[in-house]
Amino acid sequence: MPNAEMGDPEYQSHYGMELTDSKILNIHGSLDYSKNNIDEIQQLVIATNSMPRNMWRKTRAFSWMTALLHFDKLLQIPLVLLAESTGISYRQIIESFCEVNNNDFPLIAEIRDHFCSRAEIIQNGGPEYYYSKEWLGIWWPDDEYQLIRLSAEGKLGIFYEESRKLLETLLKKTQNYDSIPLVAESVKINHALLKQPYLYDDLETESEYNILGMYNQVLKDQPSSFKRIKSKYRIARSTQTWKDWQTWCREVVWYGNKKGDYLYGSASLEK
């Protein structure tokens, strides 16, 4: 705001604030082709003395990666259980995805590189959101666009396999060998729970651990045991179905944005 303290040129100079002009866009908004359209402009801080431009880009990419893995629910279950069972911080887990080797984890590296590239575009005055003519013709947060791309291009299986290997590498590096089977099982369950189109039948899946019981206990801040307890679940895919990608994009990725409603419901079965 021009009248705010941060709007004072002297304040900006003191803290080394670098600004760029950027069009104000509505999240999940469409392009406005009307003749009378007037673009509103905002000023974004894209660097300061304490956060140079390269660090700003890394931070922006880190935030998108966090949103994709945790808030979009692609890996929330294994991340929650890994952090709770080992004490490894969420920051360390997310950073491991941001610092992957291109040769060992090519798909995750591709996602990371997209985030870094988009951060640089924003620094140069580009749009805050990613426009996709193919997917509803609207502006998507970059993490949501990556969720759509991974799903529609049939790359979720590769993503989950790379993620399992990456988390296993982190566990070995931190000498948390006992948690490797737990995390592998939780990756499998998370994959099965992710809402996707063209799935019409419930799925029954088994685990060597009570993955969902432990996960829900952690979310409720209740004591949780990470012992092996064979479990069986029915994933309620038949209760919500989507017959095409466009409907799924709208009803799951877009409408599920505020509450993170990206996972199917499930029930525990006797084992």
Side-chain angles (χ1 to χ4, degrees), residues 137-160:
I138 63 175
W139 294 100
W140 293 98
D142 281 81
D143 56 287
E144 292 181 7
Y145 174 73
Q146 287 299 316
L147 167 57
I148 294 170
R149 186 181 72 85
L150 289 173
S151 300
E153 294 180 4
K155 294 182 178 179
L156 279 177
I158 300 172
F159 170 79
Y160 279 106

Side-chain angles (χ1 to χ4, degrees), residues 57 59 64 69 76 80 137 157 172 182 196-197 201 236 249 254 267:
R57 292 193 297 272
T59 302
W64 277 321
L69 303 182
Q76 188 180 91
V80 165
K172 289 179 178 178
L182 169 65
Q196 293 282 279
D201 299 320
C249 284
W254 177 0

Side-chain angles (χ1 to χ4, degrees), residues 2-19:
N3 295 327
E5 186 176 15
M6 288 180 63
D8 185 346
E10 186 175 336
Y11 181 96
Q12 295 169 3
S13 176
H14 178 76
Y15 290 101
M17 293 169 58
E18 293 186 41
L19 307 175

Side-chain angles (χ1 to χ4, degrees), residues 114-232:
H114 169 90
F115 291 155
C116 291
S117 174
R118 285 282 298 122
E120 186 171 13
I121 288 172
I122 292 174
Q123 279 188 322
N124 294 326
E128 280 192 278
Y129 302 115
Y130 189 91
Y131 179 76
S132 173
K133 182 178 180 180
E134 182 179 10
W135 305 118
L136 302 182
I138 63 175
W139 294 100
W140 293 98
D142 281 81
D143 56 287
E144 292 181 7
Y145 174 73
Q146 287 299 316
L147 167 57
I148 294 170
R149 186 181 72 85
L150 289 173
S151 300
E153 294 180 4
K155 294 182 178 179
L156 279 177
I158 300 172
F159 170 79
Y160 279 106
E161 179 60 19
E162 286 191 11
S163 297
R164 182 193 63 77
K165 291 180 180 178
L166 178 58
L167 294 175
E168 181 177 316
T169 300
L170 176 61
L171 289 168
K172 289 179 178 178
K173 181 180 178 181
T174 55
Q175 299 184 347
N176 286 287
Y177 302 102
D178 291 343
S179 293
I180 290 176
L182 169 65
V183 171
E185 290 283 293
S186 63
V187 169
K188 180 187 74 172
I189 297 296
N190 204 139
H191 185 186
L193 284 167
L194 189 68
K195 292 179 178 178
Q196 293 282 279
Y198 308 112
L199 301 178
Y200 305 106
D201 299 320
D202 291 349
L203 174 69
E204 291 189 4
T205 185
E206 298 181 359
S207 174
E208 293 296 315
Y209 297 85
N210 182 15
I211 297 292
L212 297 183
M214 292 186 290
Y215 167 68
N216 286 310
Q217 285 175 329
V218 174
L219 293 186
K220 296 174 183 177
D221 197 24
Q222 297 174 347
S224 181
S225 171
F226 295 97
K227 296 180 180 179
R228 287 178 181 260
I229 301 177
K230 288 190 176 183
S231 302
K232 187 175 183 179

Side-chain angles (χ1 to χ4, degrees), residues 193 212 216 233-236 264-268:
L193 284 167
L212 297 183
N216 286 310
Y233 305 104
R234 176 181 290 117
I235 298 174
Y264 291 107
S266 61
S268 180

